[in-house]
Amino acid sequence: MPPLNTEKLTQAKSLGFSDRQIAHLTGTTEDAIRAERKRIGLVPSYRLVDTCAAEFEAYTPYYYSTYDRGDDEVKGNPARKVMILGGGPNRIGQGIEFDYCCVHAAFALKEDGYETIMVNSNPETVSTDYDTSDKLFFEPLTLEDVLHIYEREKCWGAIAQFGGQTPLNLALSLQKNGVNIIGTSPQSIEIAEDRKLFAAMLDKLKIPQPPNGLATNEAEALVASKRLGYPVLVRPSFVLGGRAMQIVYSDAELSHYMRFAVEASPERPVLVDKFLEDATEVDVDCIADVGLPGHGATGGTIVIGGVLEHIEFAGVHSGDAAMVLPPHTLSQKVIGIIRDYTHAMARELKVVGLMNVQYAVKGETVYVLEVNPRASRTVPFVSKAIGRPLAKIAARVMAGKTLKELGFTEEIWTKYWAVKESVFPFNKFVGQDILLSPEMRSTGEVMGLDADLGVAYAKSQMAANSPLPLSGKIFISVSDSHKGEVAAVARQFSDLGFELVATRGTAAVLEKSGLKVRHILKLLEGRPNVIDLLKNKEIQFVINTPSGAVPREDEIKIRTTAVYTGTPITTTLSGAKAAALGIAALKKSGYSVKTVQEYH
């Protein structure tokens, strides 16, 4: 490559152009631009953020990069340095749970004598508090910016496992540029992320996954869906928070998705998976040290931190689903299969640190949906539930300690129930349907703990600002596909003393089963209808399952009105069963309050 004009390159960098942008504009590569900058000595300097507004001298170790000429203000330290890559900007669909893991990693490594260097671009997180890490760099999580800091600080290693998908996508490129990625190797990460490599690994281990295919264009997607049979779950590769994931039920829906929802290419294929309807989804978090030097093919330790059973059926993003720890309906045989599969994959991937696996259980068959060799959204919840800080343990394992040295070699199965419930921002988005899907929409989560599963679930609903009612009227409206199951659920509420309210179709099914139901008009039939009853606070609970892939307008009005009037609502029969269990437990024995420490 001919030498670039030094003056122009210096000017472009001082104006904020990245190497990648300059490469695009000049028809070359990012690597070539980086090499040219280094040849002419054009690298950023780092300045302290003035946290005292020039009134006093600032000592807080917050740094930002600049290409304006001036002194570098980074203070030296002879300690061995570990860089922790954060999760970047937080938004709906990108949980704060990853920030928790980054913070715990910083605390653990500081305690062990390392200098911790946090790289994150979001000032509204705990990882960017002044007392979390030894040094903080407010920089974008890009290859260029991370390399600058790593080289400037002469780091011993970097952790990409705790910030979610954003730093994970950088791991391989960082390693190629000389960064020591500690923990699970980028090559193992690629096996888990690349659909073909992942399928080959599962075939080798004889672990089933749902039938699936890859598509780089609309025609390939249609061929794959025809082979698999609808419904199918479609999603882009390498996404965070399930963005653009969708369950599709027809060729027309699939064509619309491929044309308008994603950009498919050979580098970024769309994954097409057979969707397992009415399957139970299970999340497993495990920690392993099998990839540490000297452990060999069969050495090292693998410990499952928690097995979480989703309350909603498969198809709801794990960041949105309500979950129960330990599992409440799985047989010991299924739990044993899950344990065997988890151990086999952790060993094959030579995991060092955390790994999350998502399973779908249909009958006694266990399918692997996804493996993430990184911290997951459920790590903080599991850690609090079992009383062991998994992220801290994982950070120490990544730095070279074994699980035996750390005294964590046995699974912990709690004698009480821990229920995770998600918190949603639907009351802030007027007209937005509240149906849960493979795309994550929650903005937080809460925990309910109790020796009784029903009470634990009820506590989680209280904490999520949707307390279960103990009496009153329940409006029930379900799709045709759920009419066979709805009577049993309605009977539970009737036996608890609730008055049942329904429109014509659902009411007929309930009356056929011998239940007493108050009939009301559908929205299109006139008034008074359920909207009027909700606004008048005459309905205390709503059970409303969607009629199909595309919800009807009247369903959306019912669900959004329930949210605006503060009426508890569930859109799944599994959620309704859990609510009935919780109400029965509260009516029978009430609830008591204990600290987390007392449970442990």
Side-chain angles (χ1 to χ4, degrees):
M1 186 196 83
L4 285 170
N5 181 316
T6 300
E7 189 180 339
K8 285 278 185 199
L9 186 54
T10 304
Q11 187 182 12
K13 294 307 288 184
S14 68
L15 288 170
F17 283 86
S18 68
D19 287 351
R20 197 170 179 181
Q21 288 172 312
I22 296 168
H24 176 72
L25 293 169
T26 57
T28 181
T29 65
E30 184 179 351
D31 287 344
I33 297 295
R34 185 183 305 111
E36 178 63 13
R37 274 198 304 98
K38 286 186 174 179
R39 189 185 70 79
I40 61 174
L42 182 59
V43 292
S45 57
Y46 292 92
R47 307 279 177 82
L48 269 172
V49 175
D50 188 354
T51 50
C52 300
E55 199 168 338
F56 311 101
E57 188 174 352
Y59 292 102
T60 316
Y62 290 2
Y63 299 100
Y64 66 95
S65 66
T66 175
Y67 277 87
D68 294 337
R69 296 300 179 191
D71 292 334
D72 193 298
E73 297 176 344
V74 174
K75 294 163 185 163
N77 188 329
R80 182 179 264 194
K81 299 178 175 70
V82 175
M83 173 193 280
I84 301 164
L85 301 181
N90 279 332
R91 50 192 174 268
I92 290 173
Q94 181 165 344
I96 201 71
E97 299 90 340
F98 296 127
D99 200 60
Y100 165 101
C101 294
C102 291
V103 170
H104 274 230
F107 288 167
L109 294 175
K110 273 172 81 172
E111 286 167 17
D112 288 358
Y114 293 91
E115 183 181 22
T116 56
I117 294 166
M118 187 72 67
V119 182
N120 207 358
S121 53
N122 181 8
E124 291 298 318
T125 57
V126 184
S127 68
T128 51
D129 281 357
Y130 72 92
D131 57 351
T132 296
S133 54
D134 294 304
K135 288 177 187 163
L136 166 66
F137 288 82
F138 279 116
E139 294 292 295
L141 286 153
T142 67
L143 178 65
E144 175 184 345
D145 294 287
V146 172
L147 280 176
H148 282 157
I149 300 162
Y150 187 88
E151 290 165 1
R152 168 64 184 80
E153 286 291 326
K154 297 181 175 61
C155 295
W156 166 70
I159 292 177
Q161 207 181 87
F162 290 140
Q165 196 69 36
T166 307
L168 212 64
N169 289 347
L170 289 175
L172 205 56
S173 299
L174 288 169
Q175 188 190 55
K176 285 174 183 172
N177 282 277
V179 173
N180 174 28
I181 301 289
I182 62 173
T184 306
S185 75
Q187 286 71 27
S188 291
I189 292 167
E190 193 179 17
I191 290 170
E193 298 278 347
D194 186 294
R195 196 46 43 161
K196 288 180 181 172
L197 297 175
F198 181 57
M201 180 190 82
L202 294 183
D203 286 343
K204 177 185 172 184
L205 298 174
K206 295 183 171 50
I207 296 174
Q209 66 177 139
N212 59 76
L214 284 171
T216 59
N217 54 49
E218 184 184 333
E220 288 181 11
L222 289 166
V223 168
S225 297
K226 190 171 183 179
R227 175 173 60 82
L228 299 171
Y230 290 106
V232 294
L233 178 68
V234 285
R235 55 190 164 143
S237 47
F238 299 96
V239 296
L240 182 63
R243 283 200 301 281
M245 283 174 73
Q246 193 175 317
I247 301 165
V248 298
Y249 293 83
S250 67
D251 285 354
E253 276 183 61
L254 183 61
S255 295
H256 185 272
Y257 174 87
M258 294 299 292
R259 287 174 197 172
F260 301 107
V262 292
E263 283 185 35
S265 70
E267 295 77 36
R268 296 276 166 175
V270 168
L271 312 178
V272 185
D273 294 332
K274 174 67 180 170
F275 178 63
L276 302 170
E277 291 186 287
D278 296 339
T280 301
E281 196 160 335
V282 179
D283 258 79
V284 175
D285 283 313
C286 87
I287 190 163
D289 61 14
V290 293
L292 285 177
H295 273 161
T298 56
T301 309
I302 302 162
V303 183
I304 288 178
V307 179
L308 299 107
E309 182 179 344
H310 293 213
I311 287 174
E312 292 85 3
F313 282 131
V316 173
H317 192 280
S318 60
D320 286 354
M323 300 183 190
V324 178
L325 182 152
H328 62 300
T329 69
L330 301 183
S331 68
Q332 284 304 311
K333 178 186 173 185
V334 166
I335 291 170
I337 293 169
I338 287 171
R339 182 181 293 113
D340 291 345
Y341 288 175
T342 304
H343 280 240
M345 289 186 290
R347 198 164 291 289
E348 183 67 21
L349 291 169
K350 299 182 177 63
V351 170
V352 178
L354 289 162
M355 180 180 85
N356 169 260
V357 191
Q358 289 166 24
Y359 294 100
V361 179
K362 191 139 187 179
E364 296 278 277
T365 306
V366 178
Y367 298 92
V368 173
L369 300 178
E370 197 172 331
V371 174
N372 293 306
R374 58 164 167 83
S376 74
R377 287 192 170 78
T378 45
V379 164
F381 175 84
V382 172
S383 298
K384 288 178 188 293
I386 68 172
R388 296 301 298 268
L390 295 181
K392 280 186 173 180
I393 295 168
R396 290 188 163 114
V397 166
M398 293 160 80
K401 289 191 175 175
T402 66
L403 287 170
K404 282 181 181 172
E405 286 178 84
L406 296 169
F408 187 63
T409 57
E410 300 289 330
E411 293 176 14
I412 297 172
W413 286 77
T414 59
K415 300 282 194 297
Y416 47 86
W417 300 97
V419 176
K420 185 203 102 168
E421 183 56 282
S422 299
V423 178
F424 298 95
F426 294 128
N427 58 349
K428 305 283 195 302
F429 296 98
V430 177
Q432 176 73 44
D433 195 9
I434 67 167
L435 277 184
L436 302 183
S437 73
E439 186 162 353
M440 183 175 160
R441 300 161 85 190
S442 67
T443 49
E445 60 186 48
V446 295
M447 174 189 272
L449 290 175
D450 203 89
D452 182 289
L453 176 57
V455 175
Y457 181 79
K459 285 178 176 179
S460 74
Q461 301 309 297
M462 292 176 207
N465 294 321
S466 185
L468 298 173
L470 298 181
S471 61
K473 297 184 179 73
I474 288 193
F475 173 73
I476 304 174
S477 174
V478 297
S479 66
D480 290 342
S481 62
H482 292 128
K483 288 210 163 100
E485 303 170 64
V486 70
V489 178
R491 190 175 302 281
Q492 288 179 277
F493 285 98
S494 179
D495 292 345
L496 288 167
F498 286 88
E499 183 183 337
L500 307 180
V501 179
T503 52
R504 190 171 59 244
T506 305
V509 173
L510 299 180
E511 285 174 335
K512 196 174 177 182
S513 297
L515 292 165
K516 186 180 175 185
V517 188
R518 174 184 165 187
H519 287 241
I520 59 168
L521 298 170
K522 287 186 174 183
L523 267 57
L524 300 175
E525 294 172 346
R527 303 174 73 175
N529 55 47
V530 66
I531 299 290
D532 299 313
L533 269 60
L534 283 166
K535 287 179 177 175
N536 293 339
K537 298 284 186 182
E538 292 180 53
I539 299 288
Q540 278 66 52
F541 192 69
V542 174
I543 300 170
N544 178 232
T545 67
S547 58
V550 181
R552 294 196 307 260
E553 194 177 332
D554 56 346
E555 290 177 16
I556 296 172
K557 283 182 181 172
I558 291 168
R559 291 192 282 264
T560 53
T561 304
V563 170
Y564 301 145
T565 56
T567 309
I569 177 170
T570 181
T571 58
T572 63
L573 287 184
S574 52
K577 290 172 189 171
L581 187 71
I583 293 166
L586 286 180
K587 291 186 83 152
K588 181 183 176 184
S589 53
Y591 67 93
S592 59
V593 177
K594 288 193 330 195
T595 64
V596 175
Q597 289 80 359
E598 285 176 281
Y599 281 105
H600 297 160

